[in-house]
Amino acid sequence: MPCLVAEALVELAASSVGGGYPSDLTDEQWALVEPLLPPARLGPKGGRREKHPRRRILDAIFYVVRTGCAWRQLPKDFAPWPTVYWYFTWWHDDGAVERIHDALRSKVREADGRDAEPTAGLIDSQSVRTADTVPAVTWGFDAGKKVKGRKRFIVTDTLGLLLAVHVVAASVQDRDGAKRPLLWTRLDHPEVRKVWADQGFGRLVDWATQILGRELEIVRKDPDQRGFQVQPKRWAVERTFSWLTAHRRLARDYETSLAHSETMIRWAMIGIMVRRLTRGCPAARPGPKPLIQVRSHAGTVQA
């Protein structure tokens, strides 16, 4: 009995206090995710209970996604990195990450006064560089953006929430790489009747109409536009890319597997959505900080 009490105290401390990292889940966020996790794996005779609290496993995954550290560089107050990576691959192979992501997306939409399922979407691509450890067969060269790496295709709703993601070599053209995520959107979200895209997807308009039975509308720039200008409709998917690249693990592609790269994007969106559901108020950036004059022997310095 004393051993069970001690283990319970250790688990409670690990789950509620944790390492105190900014990426750790709060109690409210954990309450959203915990019911969505798959049940523990048990052998034919029951097997032993899981050694490490799942909340700390999730904290470790979010730490990797947010900070960009290697799995082997996880701080020691998390579970051992092979254990964390085992859960990462298990939940990926089991499809649990997609189920968690989709359930949270429906909650975010309903909290925003929308229907759980969207009726319109947006598609765009982003080319990112890859690490030296990425297999050469999974990356290419984007001649237009001069990037050697991979290309991410995402379909979002009008709120910028992810509907489909597809990662390919950067050498794949938009008109070819976009077909699969558009098809997935057609199958998984049949109520999406219209998708907006930029000029790079212009050749898919007829294909989307004939094959998918959906309207693909191209949002074109003003011929007289000079410099940057927010494009109607398409700005939401561009904002989603900025959300994703704020996670250092996604600023460059480190995953050896294309499928794991897609799962990393879903984990980032899960973190975004749980924060959005528990924030209780609109997000706000801190304003400009006033300059502070510091006096020193060399004179006045502005810090």
Side-chain angles (χ1 to χ4, degrees):
M1 183 63 68
C3 294
L4 295 177
V5 173
E7 290 180 2
L9 291 175
V10 170
E11 181 174 348
L12 178 62
S15 61
S16 60
V17 179
Y21 300 104
S23 57
D24 287 353
L25 293 173
T26 64
D27 292 339
E28 294 80 5
Q29 294 168 358
W30 170 241
L32 289 172
V33 179
E34 183 183 16
L36 304 175
L37 294 173
R41 282 184 173 178
L42 299 176
K45 296 184 179 180
R48 66 177 184 178
R49 70 181 184 88
E50 296 178 343
K51 182 178 180 181
H52 301 280
R54 286 190 168 189
R55 181 170 177 177
R56 292 304 287 160
I57 299 295
L58 282 176
D59 286 343
I61 293 175
F62 284 125
Y63 183 89
V64 171
V65 175
R66 192 68 183 180
T67 66
C69 79
W71 292 105
R72 295 175 182 268
Q73 301 297 328
L74 273 172
K76 298 299 183 182
D77 52 348
F78 289 122
W81 77 264
T83 302
V84 178
Y85 188 72
W86 182 86
Y87 276 94
F88 174 83
T89 56
W90 169 30
W91 290 337
H92 164 81
D93 297 337
D94 185 61
V97 181
E98 292 188 40
R99 292 193 296 271
I100 295 171
H101 173 273
D102 293 347
L104 291 174
R105 183 189 60 233
S106 297
K107 291 183 179 181
V108 173
R109 288 186 55 84
E110 292 172 349
D112 199 66
R114 309 292 185 95
D115 293 333
E117 281 297 319
T119 57
L122 308 101
I123 187 171
D124 204 354
S125 66
Q126 178 191 49
S127 296
V128 295
R129 300 185 185 278
T130 51
D132 295 338
T133 55
V134 171
V137 294
T138 64
W139 57 261
F141 183 73
D142 185 342
K145 298 181 180 178
K146 310 300 181 187
V147 172
K148 183 181 74 173
R150 289 173 176 168
K151 183 177 290 188
R152 300 164 178 164
F153 291 88
I154 64 171
V155 180
T156 71
D157 62 7
T158 53
L159 296 178
L161 303 178
L162 193 66
L163 300 181
V165 57
H166 184 43
V167 179
V168 296
S171 55
V172 176
Q173 298 293 323
D174 286 353
R175 61 178 180 270
D176 299 322
K179 290 183 178 180
R180 183 169 296 183
L182 287 173
L183 179 60
W184 288 341
T185 303
R186 170 67 176 83
L187 297 175
D188 297 338
H189 307 280
E191 295 186 9
V192 174
R193 310 297 301 181
K194 187 173 185 177
V195 179
W196 286 280
D198 65 12
Q199 299 175 6
F201 301 89
R203 296 188 179 183
L204 291 178
V205 173
D206 294 337
W207 177 86
T209 302
Q210 298 171 6
I211 304 299
L212 303 181
R214 297 294 183 267
E215 180 183 358
L216 182 66
E217 180 179 334
I218 305 301
V219 180
R220 302 185 182 277
K221 296 181 180 179
D222 189 339
D224 299 330
Q225 176 181 332
R226 295 293 182 270
F228 174 77
Q229 184 177 347
V230 176
Q231 299 298 319
K233 304 295 184 182
R234 281 205 323 108
W235 65 269
V237 67
E238 299 286 358
R239 183 184 59 179
T240 301
F241 277 130
S242 69
W243 289 345
L244 294 176
T245 50
H247 299 74
R248 292 194 176 187
R249 186 78 180 193
L250 300 179
R252 182 183 291 257
D253 200 325
Y254 295 92
E255 313 311 317
T256 56
S257 166
L258 294 172
H260 282 181
S261 182
E262 296 169 0
T263 297
M264 277 292 181
I265 293 175
R266 290 191 179 93
W267 275 118
M269 289 302 300
I270 289 173
I272 291 170
M273 289 188 292
V274 295
R275 290 195 300 273
R276 183 166 178 172
L277 286 169
T278 58
R279 188 165 51 226
C281 61
R285 293 183 179 273
K289 297 181 179 180
L291 294 176
I292 301 177
Q293 292 186 352
V294 180
R295 296 186 179 276
S296 63
H297 296 292
T300 302
V301 179
Q302 291 183 341

